[in-house]
Amino acid sequence: QVQLVESGGGLVQPGGSLRLSCAASGFIFDNVAIGWFRQAPGKEREGVSCMDDSDSSIQYARSVKGRFTISRDNAKEMAYLQMNSLKPEDTAVYYCAVSTFFSASVCETGLHYDYWGQGTQVTVSL
């Protein structure tokens, strides 16, 4: 069965770092696009970063460029989001998602991402 499980969230002070992990199972990991998304209270879901199956296309939201890094380990069926220089506005529930239709997927919103994890809370606060 298809499953995505996020981990690594927590409470961190502004300027701190966290690494989110996404453990995947139930599909051929090499042939899917990976996306990290977040949703904060009162805000729409937004794409944080996405990576296609060949790693030839990596996207970052304008708000996280230079601070966050997406990566994947296909052998381990894991995806990661390294988050540095965290800001209070990064506070949100972060979701890992997979698209098996990556040619049509939209990183900005998560459209056509087929499978989603349950999310992990990231809180950036003093």
Side-chain angles (χ1 to χ4, degrees):
Q1 59 182 10
V2 173
Q3 188 173 69
L4 297 171
V5 181
E6 302 97 336
S7 62
L11 175 64
V12 65
Q13 294 183 346
S17 298
L18 287 172
R19 188 183 72 167
L20 305 184
S21 299
C22 176
S25 62
F27 47 81
I28 302 174
F29 195 70
D30 306 50
N31 298 325
V32 300
I34 295 293
W36 286 97
F37 303 84
R38 68 186 182 186
Q39 188 163 25
K43 299 181 66 177
E44 296 182 352
R45 183 179 65 196
E46 64 174 332
V48 177
S49 183
C50 298
M51 173 184 290
D52 70 11
D53 62 330
S54 65
D55 297 351
S56 63
S57 180
I58 299 176
Q59 299 172 266
Y60 293 98
R62 292 170 59 188
S63 59
V64 308
K65 286 182 178 178
R67 300 188 297 119
F68 291 10
T69 303
I70 189 172
S71 62
R72 68 197 294 171
D73 187 330
N74 289 340
K76 296 181 178 179
E77 297 187 314
M78 296 285 292
Y80 307 95
L81 184 69
Q82 179 66 46
M83 305 186 295
N84 298 327
S85 302
L86 284 161
K87 304 175 181 179
E89 50 264 44
D90 295 318
T91 296
V93 177
Y94 283 71
Y95 299 90
C96 174
V98 162
S99 175
T100 59
F101 302 95
F102 49 83
S103 63
S105 61
V106 180
C107 187
E108 288 78 10
T109 63
L111 182 64
H112 296 310
Y113 277 79
D114 309 81
Y115 305 104
W116 295 75
Q118 297 201 66
T120 184
Q121 176 71 47
V122 172
T123 302
V124 185
S125 179
L126 294 172

